[in-house]
Amino acid sequence: MLWVVLYVQLVVQVLSEAPLAPPQNVSVDKWLLTWTPTTQEKDVTYTVQYRSFDSSEWKDIPACTQISRDSCDVASAKANGKFGCVRLRVRAERRLLTSSPAEACSRHGDACTPEVSLTARPGSLTVHLYRNHGLAQEYGNHALHRVYYGKEGESLEQNLEDTSSSVSLHELQKGQRYCTKVQYIFFSTPVGLPSCTQCELIPRTDPKQTEVIVAVLAVLFLVTLIPVIGYFLICQRGRIKQWLRPYEISIDFILEPFPEQYSPISTSSPSEEHCDVITCITPEGFRP
């Protein structure tokens, strides 16, 4: 009877606790899976699972089961997936409580994850993709990209487009941020990890168009300014000299001799003091 009472108390305690939030920012970099815990409680553990695209079952990775850290090496799961590609997810656990699983994304493109870049223009967003990936080379048009997109903060699962190459998304709201992620699909079944979500602001004006306008205005300014400067230098030369005349220094004033009454040496007055003349003696043999 005691164990029944303890079990009932445990069940009541678990039911009274708040549900566990799933881990955040779950991503893979070189087969190292990392995530951000949503709670600092010490009794919370994490379990990582994998799934191959040809299977509907999620399986635990033994080395990443009920661990307390926020990262795990998942390279061992690669060998269990077809084409070497698997999907990964992680969930939080505390006693009998389990959070909903959070699926991982890949930070870099590789054989199992598309390489993606974005270009935003007024009203549109271009998702640049690369056709020469391993799945396409082996299976042709049966291997495609699935592009998920939507406004920032909204679910990306609501809007998707399957394509074999780069795609442009049109009729987007200007001044709004849009996000996208891309995943390989094989016969409409997701393969491997999706790319991590990337977001871009849809501009109201085209930056290249703005650069062209600025360049044209600069050229027009120079074309207008040069003739004006030439006109003043050629046709208004005399007037420019008149404007600058108050600032000129007269060379004649500098070279003008002192008046006679201010001369420091004068020999015309007999009353002035006479000075002895010192004769310069030149040594013999010296010639200047």
mmCIF file of all heavy atoms in Angstrom, residues 127-170:
data_model
loop_
_atom_site.group_PDB
_atom_site.id
_atom_site.type_symbol
_atom_site.label_atom_id
_atom_site.label_comp_id
_atom_site.label_asym_id
_atom_site.label_seq_id
_atom_site.Cartn_x
_atom_site.Cartn_y
_atom_site.Cartn_z
ATOM 1 N N VAL A 127 15.560 33.248 -53.310
ATOM 2 C CA VAL A 127 16.258 32.205 -52.550
ATOM 3 C C VAL A 127 17.209 31.508 -53.515
ATOM 4 O O VAL A 127 16.777 30.806 -54.438
ATOM 5 C CB VAL A 127 15.259 31.203 -51.947
ATOM 6 C CG1 VAL A 127 16.009 30.171 -51.102
ATOM 7 C CG2 VAL A 127 14.201 31.920 -51.117
ATOM 8 N N HIS A 128 18.498 31.725 -53.329
ATOM 9 C CA HIS A 128 19.510 31.158 -54.219
ATOM 10 C C HIS A 128 19.862 29.745 -53.754
ATOM 11 O O HIS A 128 20.278 29.537 -52.614
ATOM 12 C CB HIS A 128 20.760 32.032 -54.243
ATOM 13 C CG HIS A 128 20.511 33.429 -54.723
ATOM 14 N ND1 HIS A 128 20.363 33.747 -56.058
ATOM 15 C CD2 HIS A 128 20.351 34.590 -54.041
ATOM 16 C CE1 HIS A 128 20.152 35.045 -56.187
ATOM 17 N NE2 HIS A 128 20.134 35.579 -54.976
ATOM 18 N N LEU A 129 19.712 28.786 -54.663
ATOM 19 C CA LEU A 129 19.985 27.382 -54.381
ATOM 20 C C LEU A 129 20.964 26.834 -55.410
ATOM 21 O O LEU A 129 21.150 27.424 -56.479
ATOM 22 C CB LEU A 129 18.684 26.564 -54.400
ATOM 23 C CG LEU A 129 17.575 27.055 -53.464
ATOM 24 C CD1 LEU A 129 16.267 26.340 -53.746
ATOM 25 C CD2 LEU A 129 17.979 26.849 -52.005
ATOM 26 N N TYR A 130 21.547 25.698 -55.107
ATOM 27 C CA TYR A 130 22.561 25.114 -55.968
ATOM 28 C C TYR A 130 22.096 23.721 -56.406
ATOM 29 O O TYR A 130 21.797 22.860 -55.583
ATOM 30 C CB TYR A 130 23.904 25.060 -55.240
ATOM 31 C CG TYR A 130 24.372 26.435 -54.814
ATOM 32 C CD1 TYR A 130 24.006 26.955 -53.575
ATOM 33 C CD2 TYR A 130 25.124 27.244 -55.667
ATOM 34 C CE1 TYR A 130 24.400 28.223 -53.187
ATOM 35 C CE2 TYR A 130 25.523 28.508 -55.290
ATOM 36 C CZ TYR A 130 25.164 28.994 -54.051
ATOM 37 O OH TYR A 130 25.540 30.250 -53.675
ATOM 38 N N ARG A 131 22.052 23.546 -57.730
ATOM 39 C CA ARG A 131 21.474 22.336 -58.309
ATOM 40 C C ARG A 131 22.412 21.139 -58.257
ATOM 41 O O ARG A 131 21.974 19.991 -58.257
ATOM 42 C CB ARG A 131 21.092 22.616 -59.778
ATOM 43 C CG ARG A 131 20.303 21.500 -60.426
ATOM 44 C CD ARG A 131 18.883 21.455 -59.886
ATOM 45 N NE ARG A 131 18.097 20.364 -60.474
ATOM 46 C CZ ARG A 131 18.046 19.134 -59.989
ATOM 47 N NH1 ARG A 131 18.736 18.816 -58.913
ATOM 48 N NH2 ARG A 131 17.297 18.203 -60.566
ATOM 49 N N ASN A 132 23.705 21.369 -58.185
ATOM 50 C CA ASN A 132 24.653 20.267 -58.314
ATOM 51 C C ASN A 132 24.952 19.601 -56.969
ATOM 52 O O ASN A 132 26.111 19.391 -56.606
ATOM 53 C CB ASN A 132 25.958 20.770 -58.957
ATOM 54 C CG ASN A 132 26.590 21.896 -58.150
ATOM 55 O OD1 ASN A 132 25.920 22.495 -57.320
ATOM 56 N ND2 ASN A 132 27.855 22.188 -58.391
ATOM 57 N N HIS A 133 23.908 19.256 -56.207
ATOM 58 C CA HIS A 133 24.128 18.515 -54.971
ATOM 59 C C HIS A 133 24.061 17.020 -55.257
ATOM 60 O O HIS A 133 23.584 16.581 -56.318
ATOM 61 C CB HIS A 133 23.101 18.923 -53.912
ATOM 62 C CG HIS A 133 21.675 18.780 -54.342
ATOM 63 N ND1 HIS A 133 20.965 17.616 -54.178
ATOM 64 C CD2 HIS A 133 20.826 19.658 -54.933
ATOM 65 C CE1 HIS A 133 19.738 17.776 -54.632
ATOM 66 N NE2 HIS A 133 19.623 19.010 -55.107
ATOM 67 N N GLY A 134 24.517 16.226 -54.305
ATOM 68 C CA GLY A 134 24.663 14.786 -54.535
ATOM 69 C C GLY A 134 23.362 14.087 -54.858
ATOM 70 O O GLY A 134 23.310 13.215 -55.743
ATOM 71 N N LEU A 135 22.283 14.436 -54.189
ATOM 72 C CA LEU A 135 21.002 13.766 -54.434
ATOM 73 C C LEU A 135 20.499 14.049 -55.845
ATOM 74 O O LEU A 135 19.983 13.152 -56.526
ATOM 75 C CB LEU A 135 19.964 14.245 -53.408
ATOM 76 C CG LEU A 135 20.181 13.784 -51.960
ATOM 77 C CD1 LEU A 135 19.133 14.413 -51.054
ATOM 78 C CD2 LEU A 135 20.132 12.269 -51.873
ATOM 79 N N ALA A 136 20.653 15.278 -56.313
ATOM 80 C CA ALA A 136 20.191 15.621 -57.658
ATOM 81 C C ALA A 136 21.011 14.916 -58.723
ATOM 82 O O ALA A 136 20.478 14.481 -59.753
ATOM 83 C CB ALA A 136 20.263 17.134 -57.853
ATOM 84 N N GLN A 137 22.313 14.791 -58.506
ATOM 85 C CA GLN A 137 23.163 14.119 -59.482
ATOM 86 C C GLN A 137 22.813 12.636 -59.599
ATOM 87 O O GLN A 137 22.935 12.039 -60.670
ATOM 88 C CB GLN A 137 24.630 14.295 -59.081
ATOM 89 C CG GLN A 137 25.118 15.734 -59.195
ATOM 90 C CD GLN A 137 26.539 15.897 -58.703
ATOM 91 O OE1 GLN A 137 27.173 14.941 -58.256
ATOM 92 N NE2 GLN A 137 27.063 17.121 -58.788
ATOM 93 N N GLU A 138 22.326 12.045 -58.511
ATOM 94 C CA GLU A 138 22.024 10.617 -58.525
ATOM 95 C C GLU A 138 20.577 10.329 -58.902
ATOM 96 O O GLU A 138 20.291 9.338 -59.590
ATOM 97 C CB GLU A 138 22.334 10.009 -57.158
ATOM 98 C CG GLU A 138 22.207 8.488 -57.134
ATOM 99 C CD GLU A 138 22.743 7.908 -55.846
ATOM 100 O OE1 GLU A 138 23.302 8.669 -55.029
ATOM 101 O OE2 GLU A 138 22.623 6.674 -55.665
ATOM 102 N N TYR A 139 19.659 11.207 -58.495
ATOM 103 C CA TYR A 139 18.239 10.905 -58.701
ATOM 104 C C TYR A 139 17.505 11.932 -59.555
ATOM 105 O O TYR A 139 16.288 11.837 -59.729
ATOM 106 C CB TYR A 139 17.537 10.782 -57.337
ATOM 107 C CG TYR A 139 18.057 9.635 -56.520
ATOM 108 C CD1 TYR A 139 18.979 9.862 -55.499
ATOM 109 C CD2 TYR A 139 17.652 8.333 -56.766
ATOM 110 C CE1 TYR A 139 19.470 8.804 -54.741
ATOM 111 C CE2 TYR A 139 18.140 7.278 -56.019
ATOM 112 C CZ TYR A 139 19.051 7.513 -55.001
ATOM 113 O OH TYR A 139 19.540 6.469 -54.255
ATOM 114 N N GLY A 140 18.225 12.938 -60.080
ATOM 115 C CA GLY A 140 17.627 13.891 -61.004
ATOM 116 C C GLY A 140 16.498 14.682 -60.378
ATOM 117 O O GLY A 140 16.589 15.171 -59.240
ATOM 118 N N ASN A 141 15.377 14.800 -61.111
ATOM 119 C CA ASN A 141 14.253 15.618 -60.662
ATOM 120 C C ASN A 141 13.455 15.003 -59.528
ATOM 121 O O ASN A 141 12.505 15.622 -59.035
ATOM 122 C CB ASN A 141 13.314 15.909 -61.840
ATOM 123 C CG ASN A 141 13.952 16.831 -62.861
ATOM 124 O OD1 ASN A 141 14.793 17.664 -62.515
ATOM 125 N ND2 ASN A 141 13.573 16.685 -64.121
ATOM 126 N N HIS A 142 13.820 13.796 -59.112
ATOM 127 C CA HIS A 142 13.145 13.208 -57.958
ATOM 128 C C HIS A 142 13.665 13.819 -56.647
ATOM 129 O O HIS A 142 13.025 13.678 -55.604
ATOM 130 C CB HIS A 142 13.343 11.694 -57.927
ATOM 131 C CG HIS A 142 12.731 10.997 -59.114
ATOM 132 N ND1 HIS A 142 11.389 11.062 -59.396
ATOM 133 C CD2 HIS A 142 13.297 10.226 -60.093
ATOM 134 C CE1 HIS A 142 11.129 10.362 -60.491
ATOM 135 N NE2 HIS A 142 12.277 9.845 -60.941
ATOM 136 N N ALA A 143 14.822 14.484 -56.713
ATOM 137 C CA ALA A 143 15.395 15.156 -55.543
ATOM 138 C C ALA A 143 15.265 16.661 -55.745
ATOM 139 O O ALA A 143 15.850 17.227 -56.669
ATOM 140 C CB ALA A 143 16.865 14.764 -55.367
ATOM 141 N N LEU A 144 14.491 17.302 -54.896
ATOM 142 C CA LEU A 144 14.203 18.727 -55.040
ATOM 143 C C LEU A 144 14.508 19.471 -53.736
ATOM 144 O O LEU A 144 14.875 18.866 -52.728
ATOM 145 C CB LEU A 144 12.726 18.928 -55.417
ATOM 146 C CG LEU A 144 12.240 18.280 -56.712
ATOM 147 C CD1 LEU A 144 10.731 18.461 -56.850
ATOM 148 C CD2 LEU A 144 12.965 18.851 -57.924
ATOM 149 N N HIS A 145 14.334 20.797 -53.794
ATOM 150 C CA HIS A 145 14.414 21.632 -52.603
ATOM 151 C C HIS A 145 12.991 21.999 -52.181
ATOM 152 O O HIS A 145 12.171 22.377 -53.010
ATOM 153 C CB HIS A 145 15.179 22.938 -52.886
ATOM 154 C CG HIS A 145 16.585 22.729 -53.338
ATOM 155 N ND1 HIS A 145 16.925 22.540 -54.658
ATOM 156 C CD2 HIS A 145 17.750 22.692 -52.647
ATOM 157 C CE1 HIS A 145 18.237 22.401 -54.764
ATOM 158 N NE2 HIS A 145 18.757 22.488 -53.552
ATOM 159 N N ARG A 146 12.745 21.936 -50.894
ATOM 160 C CA ARG A 146 11.475 22.436 -50.365
ATOM 161 C C ARG A 146 11.755 23.734 -49.609
ATOM 162 O O ARG A 146 12.479 23.721 -48.592
ATOM 163 C CB ARG A 146 10.812 21.413 -49.462
ATOM 164 C CG ARG A 146 9.535 21.918 -48.762
ATOM 165 C CD ARG A 146 8.663 20.758 -48.292
ATOM 166 N NE ARG A 146 8.075 20.047 -49.435
ATOM 167 C CZ ARG A 146 7.357 18.929 -49.309
ATOM 168 N NH1 ARG A 146 7.174 18.395 -48.097
ATOM 169 N NH2 ARG A 146 6.848 18.335 -50.378
ATOM 170 N N VAL A 147 11.198 24.826 -50.102
ATOM 171 C CA VAL A 147 11.429 26.153 -49.536
ATOM 172 C C VAL A 147 10.251 26.516 -48.641
ATOM 173 O O VAL A 147 9.098 26.598 -49.106
ATOM 174 C CB VAL A 147 11.607 27.205 -50.644
ATOM 175 C CG1 VAL A 147 11.843 28.597 -50.030
ATOM 176 C CG2 VAL A 147 12.766 26.826 -51.570
ATOM 177 N N TYR A 148 10.513 26.716 -47.346
ATOM 178 C CA TYR A 148 9.511 27.197 -46.402
ATOM 179 C C TYR A 148 9.752 28.690 -46.199
ATOM 180 O O TYR A 148 10.898 29.125 -46.029
ATOM 181 C CB TYR A 148 9.634 26.480 -45.057
ATOM 182 C CG TYR A 148 9.523 24.968 -45.114
ATOM 183 C CD1 TYR A 148 10.647 24.179 -45.373
ATOM 184 C CD2 TYR A 148 8.304 24.335 -44.892
ATOM 185 C CE1 TYR A 148 10.555 22.796 -45.412
ATOM 186 C CE2 TYR A 148 8.211 22.948 -44.929
ATOM 187 C CZ TYR A 148 9.336 22.183 -45.187
ATOM 188 O OH TYR A 148 9.237 20.806 -45.237
ATOM 189 N N TYR A 149 8.688 29.476 -46.165
ATOM 190 C CA TYR A 149 8.880 30.920 -45.985
ATOM 191 C C TYR A 149 7.661 31.529 -45.304
ATOM 192 O O TYR A 149 6.564 30.943 -45.268
ATOM 193 C CB TYR A 149 9.146 31.608 -47.325
ATOM 194 C CG TYR A 149 7.982 31.593 -48.293
ATOM 195 C CD1 TYR A 149 7.107 32.672 -48.388
ATOM 196 C CD2 TYR A 149 7.744 30.485 -49.115
ATOM 197 C CE1 TYR A 149 6.044 32.658 -49.273
ATOM 198 C CE2 TYR A 149 6.690 30.464 -50.009
ATOM 199 C CZ TYR A 149 5.837 31.551 -50.078
ATOM 200 O OH TYR A 149 4.779 31.529 -50.952
ATOM 201 N N GLY A 150 7.863 32.737 -44.780
ATOM 202 C CA GLY A 150 6.782 33.459 -44.113
ATOM 203 C C GLY A 150 7.332 34.683 -43.422
ATOM 204 O O GLY A 150 8.546 34.919 -43.378
ATOM 205 N N LYS A 151 6.442 35.486 -42.860
ATOM 206 C CA LYS A 151 6.855 36.668 -42.113
ATOM 207 C C LYS A 151 7.584 36.256 -40.835
ATOM 208 O O LYS A 151 7.324 35.205 -40.273
ATOM 209 C CB LYS A 151 5.636 37.530 -41.764
ATOM 210 C CG LYS A 151 4.952 38.160 -42.962
ATOM 211 C CD LYS A 151 3.772 39.030 -42.518
ATOM 212 C CE LYS A 151 3.090 39.679 -43.721
ATOM 213 N NZ LYS A 151 1.926 40.511 -43.320
ATOM 214 N N GLU A 152 8.507 37.112 -40.421
ATOM 215 C CA GLU A 152 9.257 36.827 -39.200
ATOM 216 C C GLU A 152 8.305 36.711 -38.015
ATOM 217 O O GLU A 152 7.430 37.551 -37.812
ATOM 218 C CB GLU A 152 10.285 37.931 -38.946
ATOM 219 C CG GLU A 152 11.241 37.647 -37.803
ATOM 220 C CD GLU A 152 12.294 38.711 -37.656
ATOM 221 O OE1 GLU A 152 11.972 39.892 -37.909
ATOM 222 O OE2 GLU A 152 13.445 38.382 -37.301
ATOM 223 N N GLY A 153 8.475 35.665 -37.230
ATOM 224 C CA GLY A 153 7.616 35.432 -36.079
ATOM 225 C C GLY A 153 6.444 34.517 -36.367
ATOM 226 O O GLY A 153 5.784 34.048 -35.426
ATOM 227 N N GLU A 154 6.165 34.246 -37.640
ATOM 228 C CA GLU A 154 5.076 33.348 -38.005
ATOM 229 C C GLU A 154 5.628 31.972 -38.374
ATOM 230 O O GLU A 154 6.821 31.823 -38.653
ATOM 231 C CB GLU A 154 4.279 33.921 -39.178
ATOM 232 C CG GLU A 154 3.583 35.237 -38.869
ATOM 233 C CD GLU A 154 2.786 35.764 -40.054
ATOM 234 O OE1 GLU A 154 2.873 35.151 -41.146
ATOM 235 O OE2 GLU A 154 2.094 36.783 -39.891
ATOM 236 N N SER A 155 4.759 30.989 -38.376
ATOM 237 C CA SER A 155 5.162 29.634 -38.749
ATOM 238 C C SER A 155 5.523 29.583 -40.235
ATOM 239 O O SER A 155 4.792 30.104 -41.087
ATOM 240 C CB SER A 155 4.037 28.649 -38.454
ATOM 241 O OG SER A 155 4.360 27.366 -38.937
ATOM 242 N N LEU A 156 6.660 28.953 -40.527
ATOM 243 C CA LEU A 156 7.091 28.842 -41.917
ATOM 244 C C LEU A 156 6.456 27.647 -42.616
ATOM 245 O O LEU A 156 6.586 27.518 -43.839
ATOM 246 C CB LEU A 156 8.618 28.720 -41.976
ATOM 247 C CG LEU A 156 9.425 29.848 -41.334
ATOM 248 C CD1 LEU A 156 10.918 29.616 -41.562
ATOM 249 C CD2 LEU A 156 9.015 31.198 -41.872
ATOM 250 N N GLU A 157 5.790 26.803 -41.858
ATOM 251 C CA GLU A 157 5.211 25.595 -42.435
ATOM 252 C C GLU A 157 3.972 25.894 -43.278
ATOM 253 O O GLU A 157 3.512 25.045 -44.045
ATOM 254 C CB GLU A 157 4.849 24.600 -41.323
ATOM 255 C CG GLU A 157 5.986 24.296 -40.348
ATOM 256 C CD GLU A 157 7.155 23.599 -41.018
ATOM 257 O OE1 GLU A 157 6.932 22.878 -42.002
ATOM 258 O OE2 GLU A 157 8.302 23.782 -40.540
ATOM 259 N N GLN A 158 3.415 27.098 -43.150
ATOM 260 C CA GLN A 158 2.183 27.420 -43.861
ATOM 261 C C GLN A 158 2.426 27.700 -45.344
ATOM 262 O O GLN A 158 1.526 27.528 -46.168
ATOM 263 C CB GLN A 158 1.507 28.629 -43.203
ATOM 264 C CG GLN A 158 1.111 28.388 -41.753
ATOM 265 C CD GLN A 158 0.493 29.619 -41.112
ATOM 266 O OE1 GLN A 158 0.380 30.666 -41.745
ATOM 267 N NE2 GLN A 158 0.100 29.492 -39.852
ATOM 268 N N ASN A 159 3.609 28.176 -45.676
ATOM 269 C CA ASN A 159 3.926 28.499 -47.069
ATOM 270 C C ASN A 159 5.146 27.702 -47.504
ATOM 271 O O ASN A 159 6.202 27.770 -46.859
ATOM 272 C CB ASN A 159 4.222 29.999 -47.226
ATOM 273 C CG ASN A 159 3.079 30.866 -46.717
ATOM 274 O OD1 ASN A 159 1.966 30.778 -47.201
ATOM 275 N ND2 ASN A 159 3.376 31.692 -45.725
ATOM 276 N N LEU A 160 5.008 26.942 -48.564
ATOM 277 C CA LEU A 160 6.149 26.167 -49.060
ATOM 278 C C LEU A 160 6.084 26.065 -50.577
ATOM 279 O O LEU A 160 5.014 26.195 -51.191
ATOM 280 C CB LEU A 160 6.194 24.783 -48.414
ATOM 281 C CG LEU A 160 4.961 23.871 -48.566
ATOM 282 C CD1 LEU A 160 5.048 23.019 -49.809
ATOM 283 C CD2 LEU A 160 4.846 22.991 -47.321
ATOM 284 N N GLU A 161 7.244 25.837 -51.139
ATOM 285 C CA GLU A 161 7.347 25.693 -52.592
ATOM 286 C C GLU A 161 8.457 24.712 -52.902
ATOM 287 O O GLU A 161 9.580 24.852 -52.386
ATOM 288 C CB GLU A 161 7.608 27.051 -53.248
ATOM 289 C CG GLU A 161 7.592 27.010 -54.759
ATOM 290 C CD GLU A 161 7.537 28.395 -55.377
ATOM 291 O OE1 GLU A 161 7.145 29.347 -54.677
ATOM 292 O OE2 GLU A 161 7.898 28.510 -56.572
ATOM 293 N N ASP A 162 8.157 23.732 -53.747
ATOM 294 C CA ASP A 162 9.141 22.729 -54.160
ATOM 295 C C ASP A 162 9.760 23.155 -55.484
ATOM 296 O O ASP A 162 9.053 23.484 -56.439
ATOM 297 C CB ASP A 162 8.492 21.356 -54.308
ATOM 298 C CG ASP A 162 7.955 20.830 -52.987
ATOM 299 O OD1 ASP A 162 8.394 21.335 -51.927
ATOM 300 O OD2 ASP A 162 7.100 19.921 -52.999
ATOM 301 N N THR A 163 11.072 23.156 -55.540
ATOM 302 C CA THR A 163 11.758 23.635 -56.735
ATOM 303 C C THR A 163 13.080 22.903 -56.909
ATOM 304 O O THR A 163 13.656 22.387 -55.933
ATOM 305 C CB THR A 163 12.007 25.153 -56.644
ATOM 306 O OG1 THR A 163 12.709 25.606 -57.797
ATOM 307 C CG2 THR A 163 12.816 25.498 -55.409
ATOM 308 N N SER A 164 13.575 22.885 -58.126
ATOM 309 C CA SER A 164 14.855 22.241 -58.400
ATOM 310 C C SER A 164 16.013 23.233 -58.394
ATOM 311 O O SER A 164 17.173 22.826 -58.378
ATOM 312 C CB SER A 164 14.802 21.526 -59.758
ATOM 313 O OG SER A 164 14.529 22.475 -60.794
ATOM 314 N N SER A 165 15.707 24.524 -58.427
ATOM 315 C CA SER A 165 16.757 25.549 -58.475
ATOM 316 C C SER A 165 16.284 26.794 -57.745
ATOM 317 O O SER A 165 15.247 26.769 -57.065
ATOM 318 C CB SER A 165 17.113 25.870 -59.936
ATOM 319 O OG SER A 165 15.962 26.307 -60.639
ATOM 320 N N SER A 166 17.014 27.867 -57.908
ATOM 321 C CA SER A 166 16.682 29.110 -57.213
ATOM 322 C C SER A 166 15.262 29.556 -57.547
ATOM 323 O O SER A 166 14.752 29.329 -58.647
ATOM 324 C CB SER A 166 17.679 30.206 -57.603
ATOM 325 O OG SER A 166 18.991 29.821 -57.261
ATOM 326 N N VAL A 167 14.635 30.223 -56.580
ATOM 327 C CA VAL A 167 13.245 30.640 -56.749
ATOM 328 C C VAL A 167 13.078 32.046 -56.181
ATOM 329 O O VAL A 167 13.723 32.417 -55.195
ATOM 330 C CB VAL A 167 12.293 29.648 -56.046
ATOM 331 C CG1 VAL A 167 12.559 29.603 -54.553
ATOM 332 C CG2 VAL A 167 10.845 30.002 -56.307
ATOM 333 N N SER A 168 12.204 32.840 -56.810
ATOM 334 C CA SER A 168 11.875 34.188 -56.347
ATOM 335 C C SER A 168 10.454 34.194 -55.796
ATOM 336 O O SER A 168 9.522 33.724 -56.460
ATOM 337 C CB SER A 168 12.015 35.210 -57.474
ATOM 338 O OG SER A 168 13.367 35.355 -57.869
ATOM 339 N N LEU A 169 10.304 34.725 -54.601
ATOM 340 C CA LEU A 169 9.001 34.831 -53.949
ATOM 341 C C LEU A 169 8.497 36.259 -54.134
ATOM 342 O O LEU A 169 9.162 37.212 -53.720
ATOM 343 C CB LEU A 169 9.129 34.493 -52.461
ATOM 344 C CG LEU A 169 9.861 33.175 -52.148
ATOM 345 C CD1 LEU A 169 10.079 33.023 -50.651
ATOM 346 C CD2 LEU A 169 9.067 31.981 -52.697
ATOM 347 N N HIS A 170 7.343 36.412 -54.760
ATOM 348 C CA HIS A 170 6.842 37.736 -55.133
ATOM 349 C C HIS A 170 5.658 38.149 -54.262
ATOM 350 O O HIS A 170 5.165 37.376 -53.437
ATOM 351 C CB HIS A 170 6.447 37.741 -56.608
ATOM 352 C CG HIS A 170 7.578 37.481 -57.543
ATOM 353 N ND1 HIS A 170 8.537 38.423 -57.848
ATOM 354 C CD2 HIS A 170 7.943 36.351 -58.226
ATOM 355 C CE1 HIS A 170 9.415 37.918 -58.697
ATOM 356 N NE2 HIS A 170 9.085 36.654 -58.936
#
